[in-house]
Amino acid sequence: MGRTQAYDTATVVASARNLFWKRGFDGVSVSDVEKVTGLSRSSIYHAFGNMRGLFDAAVQDYLDTIVAPRIRPLLEPDVAPGALAGYLTGLAEAIGRLGDSDEPTGCLLVGTAGSTLGDDAAVRQVVGAYHAELLAAVTRGVAARFPDDDAESVAARATSITGATIAAMTLARVNRDEAVRLLDVTSAMIR
C-alpha cells in the first residue's frame, strides 16, 4: 500500500513553473526544485517521472492559469470592441508590475522557444499552438474593434499586433519599460 501524498500538486507545479519561467529549463536543477517546493528528489521523480515531466506540467499550468484567463475575453462568442485594447493594457500592466517583485515576467513559452528545448518537437508544437491561439484571439479582437474592415485588413492588423505582443513579451526580460511602451503604443493604435 502506497503512502498518502503529503503535498498539493498544483502548488508544486506553480512553484516549479515560476522557477522555469525565471531561469529557463536549462537553468533549473533538481536541487532548485527541491528548494522551492520542499519536496525530495525521489518525490519529484515519483510524481513527474523526470524534470522534463515537471516542466511539461509547468507549461500546461502556465497555459491554463496565466495565458487562458488573459485571452478569454478575446475568445468569447461576442467579443467586445474594446477587448483587444483591454488585453494589451492588462499585459502592459502585468509586465510593469511583475518586474518589481520576485515574480517572473515575459513569456515562459517565448523564453523556451529560444532555449535548447526549442528544437524539441513537442515543445515546438506547444509554442506553435500558443502562437496560433494568440493570433486567433487577436484576430477576433481586431474584427470586433474594426467591424467594417475586410478580412485581409483584419488579418494584417492581427499579425502585426501579435508580433508586437510577442516582441514585448521577449523584451520584458531585458527592458521592461520598453516592453510596456511597445504595448502602450500598440494599444493606442487601435483605440
Side-chain angles (χ1 to χ4, degrees), residues 37-62:
T37 65
L39 293 181
S40 68
R41 182 177 304 253
S42 63
S43 293
I44 294 165
Y45 283 109
H46 181 264
F48 302 100
N50 55 31
M51 285 290 281
R52 177 58 190 271
L54 177 58
F55 178 77
D56 291 343
V59 166
Q60 190 59 54
D61 182 69
Y62 175 79

Side-chain angles (χ1 to χ4, degrees), residues 67-140:
V67 174
R70 190 168 301 285
I71 66 170
R72 187 170 292 123
L74 296 169
L75 298 174
E76 295 291 331
D78 294 317
V79 178
L84 182 56
Y87 165 78
L88 294 169
T89 300
L91 185 58
E93 289 170 356
I95 288 171
R97 182 181 66 254
L98 293 177
D100 288 335
S101 68
D102 194 33
E103 295 294 314
T105 191
C107 176
L108 173 62
L109 294 176
V110 170
T112 300
S115 75
T116 59
L117 284 180
D119 290 332
D120 181 275
V123 169
R124 290 170 69 108
Q125 183 177 8
V126 169
V127 172
Y130 166 69
H131 174 261
E133 182 177 38
L134 180 60
L135 180 59
V138 169
T139 300
R140 290 175 50 83

